[in-house]
Amino acid sequence: MSNSAINSAEEAIYKKIAEIKDEISKLKQEKTQALENLNKLKQKKLEKIEKLKGIRSQIDTVRNEFSLRLEELKKLKDRKQQLLQEIQGMRKQFDEIKAILQKTQGLDIDAIERRIQSLEWRLQTSSLPLDEEKRIVQKIAELEKKLGEARKLLEIKEKGTVERAEYLAKRIELSTIRQQIASIITELSQKRNILNSLKEDREKTKKEIDEINKQIEEIRNKIGNINNQIKEKNNEIENYIKQLKGEKVEATSSRQTREEIIEKKKKIAEEKLKSGQRLTFEELLILYGENDKEDGKDSDNIY
C-alpha cells in the first residue's frame, strides 16, 4: 500500500475515533443529567418517606385517642344505664310512699299523744265502772297503734325527703352524663373523619413513593444502558486504535521492504555497470540517488 493510501486510511480512522469520542461525550452529558434527576428523585423519595412516617404517627395518635374516648363512652353508657335503673327504682318507692300517705291522711301525732295522755289521766284520777275503764284502755291501745303508724309514716316521709334529694342529684348526674355522651359521640365522629382523611393521605403518599421508585428504576436502567453504550464506544475506539497500529506497522513494513528492494536493485545495477551491461532508466536513478520512485516499475532500457 502506498504512503498516500496509508495516510488516507489513518485519517479515516482518526475521524471515526473523533466521532465516537463526541458520541461518548454526549452520552456522558446524558448520564450526568440522569444522575442529577436520580438524586432529585431520591431526595423527593426521602421527603415522601418522612411524610409517610408523620402520617402513620398521626394515625397512631388519633387511634389511641379514639380508643380512650370510646372506652370513656362505654363507661358513661354503663353509668347511665345504672342511673336509669336506680331512678326507676326510686320512682317506684315514691309512688308507694305517696299511696301510704294518702291512706293515712289526717293522722296528727301531737293530737294522738294528747288524746292518749287525757285518757290515761282520766283512768288515774277518776273512779270509773269496770266497763268504762275497759273501754278507755281499749281506746288507748287503739290510739297507741295509730301513734306508732303515724311515727312510722313520719319516718317514711322524712326518708322520702332525703331520697328525693338523692333522686334529684341522680337526675342531674344523668343529664350531665347524657351531655358528655353526646359530646364524645361528636368527637368520635370528628376523629373518625380525621382518621379516614389520614388513611387517604397515607395511601396517596404510598402510591407516590411507588411511582418515584418506578422512575428511579427507569433512570437506573437508563444509566446502565448509557454505561453499556459508553463501554461499547470505548471498545470501538480500542479496536480502531489497534487497527491504526496495524496500519502503521504495515506502513513501516512496506517502507522496510521497499528499501530492501532498492538496495538489491542497486547492487544488481552496480554489477551490470562493472560488467558493461545495459542499465535501465530506473537503475540509473537508483545508482545516482533518484530512488524515491514509489511504484517500483521498470522503465524502458537505455544504452
Side-chain angles (χ1 to χ4, degrees), residues 159-208:
K159 181 181 179 182
T161 302
V162 173
E163 289 184 351
R164 190 166 293 278
E166 184 180 349
Y167 171 82
L168 182 60
K170 290 182 184 296
R171 289 296 302 269
I172 293 173
E173 183 183 357
L174 179 61
S175 177
T176 302
I177 287 176
R178 281 173 171 161
Q179 291 176 0
Q180 291 175 339
I181 288 174
S183 176
I184 290 177
I185 289 174
T186 300
E187 184 179 349
L188 288 174
S189 178
Q190 293 173 348
K191 289 187 181 298
R192 187 178 288 107
N193 291 336
I194 293 172
L195 194 60
N196 290 334
S197 177
L198 287 170
K199 287 180 178 179
E200 289 177 2
D201 287 344
R202 180 188 63 186
E203 296 307 313
K204 179 181 177 182
T205 304
K206 286 170 67 176
K207 289 180 180 178
E208 289 174 347

Side-chain angles (χ1 to χ4, degrees), residues 234-287:
N234 285 326
N235 289 337
E236 287 183 35
I237 290 176
E238 289 180 3
N239 291 333
Y240 279 119
I241 290 174
K242 290 179 181 179
Q243 185 177 345
L244 188 61
K245 289 180 179 179
E247 294 288 345
K248 290 182 177 180
V249 169
E250 183 180 351
T252 301
S253 176
S254 178
R255 284 195 296 271
Q256 290 175 349
T257 302
R258 181 171 177 274
E259 289 172 358
E260 290 174 356
I261 291 172
I262 292 173
E263 185 64 28
K264 184 176 180 180
K265 287 184 176 182
K266 185 177 181 180
K267 290 181 179 180
I268 293 172
E270 288 175 349
E271 293 294 329
K272 289 175 71 176
L273 184 61
K274 288 179 182 180
S275 61
Q277 297 180 21
R278 296 174 182 176
L279 300 177
T280 65
F281 179 73
E282 181 187 13
E283 288 173 339
L284 289 173
L285 290 176
I286 289 172
L287 283 175

Side-chain angles (χ1 to χ4, degrees), residues 258 261-262 265 282 292-299:
R258 181 171 177 274
I261 291 172
I262 292 173
K265 287 184 176 182
E282 181 187 13
D292 58 348
K293 192 173 182 181
E294 294 180 356
D295 56 8
K297 295 180 180 179
D298 294 338
S299 62

